[in-house]
Every structure is written in C-alpha cells, then in structure tokens.
Amino acid sequence: QVQLVESGGGIAQPGGSLRLSCAASGFTVGSSIMSWYRQAPGAERDWVAGITRGVDITNYADSVKGRFTLFRDNAKNMVYLQMNSLEPEDTAVYFCKAAHHSSDYWGQGTQVTVSS
C-alpha cells in the first residue's frame, strides 16, 4: 500500500527556515517522480518543486527558486524540502506527491505559516 506522510511544518518568522519531510512506504522514492505542492487558503494547489526518477534532476517554481531545495534520501526512502528565506507568501499547506506506476499519490499535508 502506497503511503506518504509529511512532517516538519510549523510557524517561522520571515527570513527563517523550515525543513519538510515526506516519508514514503509501499514504493521506492528513487524510482518515482517526487514533487512538493502547496495550497494557500482560498487558492488552488500549486506545484513547488520536483525531482526526476532515478537521476536527481530537480526543478523549482520561479517563486521559490534559490530559496527552496528538494532532495531525496533513497536509503531512508524519504524526500525533503529545505525552505530558507521564508516569506509570508510561503504560508500554505504543503503536500508531497509521488507519481508511481501511472498513478499519483498524495500525503495529507503539513501546515507552514510564515509570520512575524
């Protein structure tokens, strides 16, 4: 059974940092396209960052490029999103997504709030 569980959200001040974690089970993150999305209140869910299957090629939304880093630990079967220089506009629920065997799987999300 494929399962994704996010953690690491919380409250940060502008300019601060948080690291989100996504623990995967039922498949291997190294063999899947892994992505982070976010959804602010009243807004659509937006893609934030992704990493390719196999070779670790990452891509980022323009709004987070240079501030966020997605990386994968195949040994732990986990994916992370390191978020630096946080801005109030980064406030959202963050979701981990796996594209595996022609299906998409989502975690339950973790809340990130950036506020002074």
Side-chain angles (χ1 to χ4, degrees):
Q1 180 181 359
V2 173
Q3 188 174 18
L4 297 169
V5 179
E6 301 97 332
S7 61
I11 301 173
Q13 292 189 339
S17 298
L18 286 173
R19 177 178 290 185
L20 306 183
S21 300
C22 175
S25 58
F27 72 105
T28 55
V29 296
S31 63
S32 303
I33 299 171
M34 301 298 299
S35 305
W36 285 95
Y37 284 71
R38 67 185 181 186
Q39 187 167 19
E44 295 184 351
R45 191 172 296 187
D46 292 329
W47 174 81
V48 174
I51 188 167
T52 56
R53 181 188 302 116
V55 178
D56 287 356
I57 298 174
T58 53
N59 289 284
Y60 300 92
D62 288 344
S63 58
V64 307
K65 199 172 293 184
R67 301 188 299 120
F68 290 10
T69 302
L70 187 161
F71 59 100
R72 178 166 54 197
D73 186 331
N74 291 337
K76 295 183 178 180
N77 211 33
M78 293 189 67
V79 174
Y80 303 90
L81 186 68
Q82 177 66 42
M83 306 187 297
N84 298 329
S85 302
L86 284 164
E87 302 169 354
E89 293 74 22
D90 296 319
T91 295
V93 178
Y94 284 71
F95 298 88
C96 178
K97 191 190 93 169
H100 179 69
H101 287 177
S102 301
S103 296
D104 290 339
Y105 299 91
W106 294 87
Q108 83 290 348
T110 185
Q111 176 71 47
V112 171
T113 301
V114 183
S115 175
S116 55

